Amino acid sequence: MTPQKLYEALKKVQEPQGYYFNKDHSMTMELMASLLENKNRYGYMVCPCRLASGDRAQDRDIICPCAYREADVKEFGSCYCGLYVSRAWNEDEIPHEYVPERRPSDKMPI
Amino acid sequence: MSKDIFLYALSTCIHCKNTKKFLEENNIDYDFVYVDQLSGEEKERIVEEIKKYNPRISFPTLVVDGKKVIVGLKKDEIMEACQ
């Protein structure tokens, strides 16, 4: 799997659901490469912006697309990583705010 | 005297990469660690260290002089703290 192939496959599934890739294409492609790196490292595509435990059950909520994407895109127009955004975010209709970590502390690996 | 600036980062995290780039563009000297590339006791030790500064253990976490903690690429705050 190449970053480009992953991009195309995810785009087809995610866009119809209202989740668009960040229009900053180089950033999006770097994140594609990071997802593949994590897949290689852990066996699943865990969020590149979070510290994984390496235990699939413990990391389940942060496997991309993470359990927090819906709430973050709804509130901020962007997921925590900035990979998935709303159409309005991509078209600069809403401000590009810092997205704080929504994952509860008790789910952290240590 | 120059400030002691330390960045806790993940090698895969785009916000961490952008923070490093921002520090470099502004000629701010810093040290960093990629927490995801550590293992065993060293990883545990570093995670405990981060917890003191940022209980959510999120990245990037930037620590200036062991006191000021900035979580996320907040350019204005970083510039103010590092100058």
Side-chain angles (χ1 to χ4, degrees):
Chain A
M1 178 76 90
T2 62
Q4 184 61 34
K5 289 263 182 234
L6 181 64
Y7 175 87
E8 286 162 17
L10 290 175
K11 193 181 169 81
K12 213 166 18 179
V13 180
Q14 299 298 333
E15 277 197 359
Q17 299 178 47
Y19 295 107
Y20 298 85
F21 282 135
N22 194 311
K23 65 179 173 183
D24 180 344
H25 192 67
S26 68
M27 168 175 163
T28 294
M29 292 315 285
E30 269 193 63
L31 285 166
M32 291 295 116
S34 292
L35 283 172
L36 291 173
E37 194 179 324
N38 279 348
K39 167 107 176 141
N40 192 34
R41 205 190 307 186
Y42 304 111
Y44 45 91
M45 284 192 268
V46 73
C47 174
C49 302
R50 291 181 167 111
L51 183 62
S53 70
D55 179 289
R56 185 191 283 264
Q58 196 177 347
D59 292 339
R60 197 177 44 201
D61 61 317
I62 53 167
I63 294 176
C64 187
C66 71
Y68 312 101
R69 178 181 71 165
E70 186 179 348
D72 282 338
V73 172
K74 204 168 165 190
E75 186 175 347
F76 301 104
S78 165
C79 76
Y80 179 61
C81 244
L83 175 62
Y84 288 111
V85 300
S86 65
R87 190 199 49 79
W89 193 97
N90 255 351
E91 290 181 9
D92 297 325
E93 288 168 11
I94 54 170
H96 294 183
E97 281 177 51
Y98 167 70
V99 181
E101 173 62 291
R102 189 183 291 274
R103 190 185 199 205
S105 309
D106 60 11
K107 292 210 174 209
M108 294 301 169
I110 295 173
Chain B
M1 212 176 91
S2 68
K3 296 196 174 179
D4 176 23
I5 298 163
F6 197 84
L7 180 70
Y8 295 96
L10 298 177
S11 67
T12 51
C13 164
I14 198 83
H15 306 303
C16 299
K17 285 180 197 168
N18 290 337
T19 300
K20 291 182 78 195
K21 208 190 293 176
F22 178 75
L23 292 170
E24 280 150 27
E25 280 167 3
N26 287 285
N27 298 315
I28 297 169
D29 280 335
Y30 69 101
D31 283 320
F32 74 98
V33 63
Y34 281 142
V35 184
D36 58 318
Q37 292 182 346
L38 305 176
S39 59
E41 277 178 27
E42 194 184 15
K43 187 174 182 179
E44 278 177 36
R45 185 176 61 78
I46 295 289
V47 169
E48 282 305 319
E49 203 173 289
I50 300 169
K51 228 180 196 174
K52 282 192 291 179
Y53 299 119
N54 170 16
R56 305 200 70 107
I57 321 172
S58 56
F59 301 89
T61 293
L62 186 79
V63 181
V64 182
D65 286 340
K67 301 190 297 267
K68 174 77 182 163
V69 181
I70 301 165
V71 177
L73 174 48
K74 294 172 187 152
K75 294 182 179 175
D76 293 346
E77 276 188 50
I78 293 175
M79 282 312 280
E80 204 189 319
C82 294
Q83 270 168 354

